[in-house]
Amino acid sequence: MGYIEPAPIKDKANPFESMMSRFNIATEALGLDEEVYNVLKSPSKQVSVSLPVTMDDGSIKVFEGHRVIHSNILGPSKGGVRYAMDVNIDEVKALAAWMTWKCAVVDIPYGGAKGGIRCNPREMSAGEIERLTRAYTQSMTGVFGPDRDIPAPDMGTGPREMAWLMDEYSRSMGTTVNAVVTGKPLVLGGSLGRVEATGRGVMVSALAAMEKLKINPYHASIAVQGFGNVGSYAALLMAERGCTIAAISDISGAYYNENGIDINKAIGYRNNNNGTLEGFDGAELMSDPADLLILDVDVLVPAAVEDVIHSGNVDDVKAKLIVEGANGPTSAEADAIINEKGIMVAPDILANAGGVTVSYFEWVQNRLGYKWTRERVNRRSDRIMKDAFDKVYKASQKYNVPMRIAAYIVAIDKVSETYKYRGGF
Ligand code: NAD
């Protein structure tokens, strides 16, 4: 049989629609009045800029950049800046709103924002990326600020870009302002514990959910999709707490070992193998990597990309618990079936909020001019994650809704109540 083009995923969602469909269900359950609904559904500020940058060959290329502030009701807005070819204002708007709900769920005093530049960083030299980052920062000096809007890394950006951003902003202000951005290198005021923070929060959420489901971690089998920052730390920390990591995967394929994969060994292998698990011999290579999602395990941790659990495979998912390390790994259409099947979901805006929580700690430390130990960072972020889980679980019982909707309810309730106290015009 010849090659068969795979059918497109029917419910491949526009991120804005996917966010709004959950937002709408939650506002209805909460009985939010229409005025506040209208305030919360639209971003408070959108800035789009054209950035002329001199390329290495002397030509000038113009890049399109955006920053969307969805809300600053709870405090200065917070959110990453992504460098990718498919950046567009709709996506940035959705991701900015997502950040508002994520910060509110974990109860940190931030609103939500997101930024992006349409570019292909893989085809650009370090010098070109530096000039682009500085041009973007210059064009946003009136938007960014430690008390206004605090960017962070996202897809295609990391500590290096955040260092340039901090430096450019500081030059404009005539003084070093390291609290203007988080995700910086440690020497520039980055926080200990930030690298593993998101995976650690996934572990805390997973253990809290297992407790509710009466799954003993020592008898739990887990499949983790994605073995990057989030997936590998989540797998490692859950293995350290006694769980059996039966499957892991990355872009090279999925690897299964019923008796448990040695995660330290897998991380070591990946680190010495150009960042991929290709050729890893501590487990069996699965013939179809998508089958990882439908393995007979207790817990499934999607920690790679969005919309991997969709209407085409959700019927076959056997896990009792899904802990969303990635942003948006479950399509809105799949939600209904997951709920029918009685699978508990620790949703993305709760389960992967450990990263933004430690970013908040970075900002706090920068403002204090003081550095916390890794133990202090971990202890405080674990407590925040556990408290957030408990609050969302309680809301799911009170409103008789799934955990995802409960997370939105907790977030929307907090932002709308704060808005009512602060008032509008
Ligand atoms: P990463 O780039 O470090 O790792 C991504 C991993 O996913 C890699 O192992 C890659 O090979 C794998 N992958 C990509 N496509 C895949 C596919 N189709 N099937 C299986 N594996 C695939 O990224 P990350 O920082 O770990 O982020 C993962 C997800 O978590 C993203 O959705 C991101 O938005 C979200 N997230 C990350 C953070 C953070 O602090 N890093 C915070 C919140 C949310």
Side-chain angles (χ1 to χ4, degrees):
M1 206 156 76
Y3 173 75
I4 299 176
E5 183 70 27
I9 299 170
K10 196 167 87 264
D11 43 355
K12 181 95 185 141
N14 165 321
F16 193 69
E17 283 165 16
S18 152
M19 187 277 296
M20 281 307 291
S21 69
R22 276 91 178 232
F23 176 76
N24 287 340
I25 300 172
T27 51
E28 209 162 290
L30 197 55
L32 195 71
D33 49 64
E34 205 184 329
E35 285 95 344
V36 181
Y37 173 90
N38 287 333
V39 171
L40 300 188
K41 89 171 200 280
S42 343
S44 72
K45 187 189 276 189
Q46 304 180 39
V47 181
S48 293
V49 289
S50 295
L51 305 165
V53 173
T54 307
M55 307 305 279
D56 290 346
D57 65 5
S59 64
I60 291 176
K61 202 166 162 186
V62 181
F63 294 88
E64 165 193 324
H66 306 281
R67 184 74 180 167
V68 173
I69 293 173
H70 172 258
S71 164
N72 46 19
I73 292 170
L74 295 186
S77 48
K78 183 92 192 80
V81 179
R82 64 173 52 177
Y83 289 1
M85 281 310 287
D86 54 1
V87 162
N88 63 74
I89 191 78
D90 250 2
E91 182 189 64
V92 179
K93 268 164 64 179
L95 296 169
W98 233 325
M99 285 304 297
T100 301
W101 313 132
K102 199 180 284 194
C103 294
V105 167
V106 285
D107 205 8
I108 56 180
Y110 282 150
K114 204 81 180 185
I117 303 178
R118 186 192 279 265
C119 66
N120 184 353
R122 260 169 269 147
E123 284 181 358
M124 295 169 70
S125 70
E128 289 169 342
I129 298 175
E130 177 176 354
R131 292 192 288 281
L132 178 61
T133 305
R134 290 188 185 276
Y136 180 68
T137 307
Q138 268 301 329
S139 71
M140 295 291 169
T141 45
V143 177
F144 295 158
D147 291 310
R148 271 196 305 255
D149 178 40
I150 306 137
D154 197 84
M155 222 186 267
T157 57
R160 183 183 67 164
E161 286 73 19
M162 299 308 111
W164 289 326
L165 198 154
M166 180 218 126
D167 183 68
E168 190 62 32
Y169 183 85
S170 297
R171 283 170 198 240
S172 299
M173 297 299 138
T175 180
T176 298
V177 191
N178 55 9
V180 70
V181 60
T182 63
K184 298 180 291 295
L186 268 181
V187 289
L188 280 187
S191 179
L192 289 165
R194 173 62 186 93
V195 175
E196 60 272 36
T198 306
R200 192 176 174 91
V202 168
M203 174 274 290
V204 171
S205 305
L207 291 190
M210 281 192 245
E211 195 184 325
K212 299 291 180 204
L213 295 173
K214 304 203 168 15
I215 299 173
N216 180 340
Y218 287 94
H219 299 148
S221 57
I222 300 185
V224 180
Q225 184 192 47
F227 205 64
N229 174 278
V230 180
S232 63
Y233 278 112
L236 180 68
L237 294 167
M238 287 190 289
E240 283 176 2
R241 276 145 190 86
C243 304
T244 300
I245 312 299
I248 56 176
S249 74
D250 70 2
I251 198 73
S252 73
Y255 304 81
Y256 177 71
N257 183 342
E258 186 181 17
N259 300 319
I261 297 171
D262 181 339
I263 299 300
N264 267 315
K265 185 176 158 193
I267 291 176
Y269 182 86
R270 177 203 63 188
N271 292 349
N272 292 316
N273 192 44
N274 274 331
T276 93
L277 289 167
E278 187 157 16
F280 178 60
D281 65 1
E284 199 181 306
L285 180 68
M286 294 175 70
S287 52
D288 183 353
D291 286 349
L292 176 141
L293 300 164
I294 57 170
L295 281 172
D296 191 4
V297 288
D298 298 301
V299 183
L300 177 61
V301 180
V305 289
E306 67 276 11
D307 290 326
V308 292
I309 302 169
H310 48 77
S311 54
N313 63 5
V314 62
D315 282 326
D316 299 322
V317 171
K318 296 172 194 71
K320 302 176 189 78
L321 168 66
I322 298 173
V323 184
E324 296 184 336
N327 284 320
T330 308
S331 79
E333 283 80 357
D335 272 356
I337 300 160
I338 286 177
N339 300 338
E340 253 168 49
K341 291 174 73 155
I343 300 171
M344 184 191 270
V345 177
D348 46 12
I349 58 169
L350 168 67
N352 72 29
V356 72
T357 300
V358 176
S359 288
Y360 162 59
F361 291 167
E362 178 177 334
W363 177 81
V364 170
Q365 291 170 77
N366 293 160
R367 296 173 66 108
L368 287 172
Y370 189 70
K371 237 179 184 348
W372 294 350
T373 61
R374 189 184 301 277
E375 289 66 35
R376 174 172 286 201
V377 169
N378 288 345
R379 199 174 59 242
R380 291 186 171 183
S381 68
D382 288 357
R383 195 181 61 218
I384 285 185
M385 290 303 294
K386 177 68 168 60
D387 286 353
F389 181 92
D390 289 343
K391 209 184 277 178
V392 170
Y393 185 78
K394 231 175 174 177
S396 82
Q397 307 276 296
K398 178 176 169 191
Y399 291 93
N400 193 23
V401 292
M403 288 284 283
R404 186 187 311 284
I405 300 305
Y408 275 85
I409 287 179
V410 167
I412 294 166
D413 194 30
K414 177 162 172 97
V415 181
S416 61
E417 200 190 337
T418 311
Y419 176 75
K420 283 181 194 158
Y421 275 111
R422 293 186 65 161
F425 293 102

